[in-house]
Amino acid sequence: MATFIDVHSGMKGVTHDQLLRAHQEDQKLEQKEGVRFIKAWADPSTGKAFCLSEGPSKEAVLRIHQQAGHPTEEIYEVPVAVE
Amino acid sequence: MATFIDVHSGMKGVTHDQLLRAHQEDQKLEQKEGVRFIKAWADPSTGKAFCLSEGPSKEAVLRIHQQAGHPTEEIYEVPVAVE
């Protein structure tokens, strides 16, 4: 299982409800690909959003985002993490 | 207190030890600005890194990153978060 951060653009003005709905769309589909969408953050002023997920591959994360209607080119596998 | 995600580039091949050292440099300085660096993730293959922090302002996060020797233009305030 790998960890991923993906980046979305074009979400200027996004509200908590809108982000929650998008995240829940991903979560409804995630079992099909063995992905788990853990958390998402958004900046309404620039329209950037970041999702943290775990799954078998970048392609699996992308397929869920595509099926949920919000694909992104920017999916990074982040095997290095510190706190 | 606000939440921020910042994005760094140019860290191709970054190791766990290198990311940990960079994160600890930030943490040593964070009290000066009332910032807390919570977590960082990196993708050694593309050289992208993401830091999650809390603090009073984007400028405060930037000042710590500058003083620690790894400034970035890309700091996003992410007031909208879901899980």
Side-chain angles (χ1 to χ4, degrees):
Chain A
M1 203 62 122
T3 305
F4 301 91
I5 289 182
D6 57 70
V7 185
H8 299 255
S9 298
M11 299 178 72
K12 272 196 188 176
V14 65
T15 64
H16 182 271
D17 275 5
Q18 286 168 336
L19 188 68
L20 185 61
R21 228 172 301 139
H23 188 55
Q24 287 174 341
E25 289 300 318
D26 288 328
Q27 289 177 327
K28 270 186 216 162
L29 298 164
E30 65 183 15
Q31 285 197 340
K32 291 170 72 169
E33 297 282 357
V35 172
R36 185 167 75 94
F37 286 95
I38 300 168
K39 191 148 181 166
W41 298 264
D43 175 5
S45 77
T46 62
K48 284 272 182 184
F50 302 88
C51 300
L52 178 68
S53 65
E54 281 176 357
S57 70
K58 200 180 285 193
E59 290 70 27
V61 176
L62 176 58
R63 281 192 293 270
I64 298 295
H65 276 332
Q66 281 172 330
Q67 288 166 42
H70 43 254
T72 175
E73 297 282 298
E74 275 198 84
I75 302 180
Y76 301 97
E77 183 171 343
V78 288
V80 180
V82 298
E83 59 192 273
Chain B
M1 203 63 121
T3 304
F4 301 90
I5 289 183
D6 58 71
V7 185
H8 300 254
S9 298
M11 298 178 73
K12 271 196 186 173
V14 65
T15 64
H16 183 271
D17 276 4
Q18 286 168 336
L19 188 67
L20 184 61
R21 228 172 301 140
H23 188 54
Q24 286 173 341
E25 289 300 318
D26 289 327
Q27 288 177 326
K28 271 186 217 163
L29 298 164
E30 64 184 15
Q31 286 197 340
K32 291 170 72 169
E33 297 281 356
V35 172
R36 186 167 74 94
F37 286 95
I38 300 166
K39 191 147 181 166
W41 298 264
D43 175 4
S45 76
T46 61
K48 284 272 181 183
F50 301 88
C51 300
L52 177 67
S53 65
E54 281 177 357
S57 70
K58 200 180 284 194
E59 291 70 27
V61 176
L62 177 58
R63 281 192 293 270
I64 298 295
H65 276 332
Q66 281 171 330
Q67 288 166 41
H70 42 254
T72 176
E73 297 281 299
E74 274 198 84
I75 303 180
Y76 300 98
E77 185 171 342
V78 287
V80 180
V82 298
E83 57 193 271

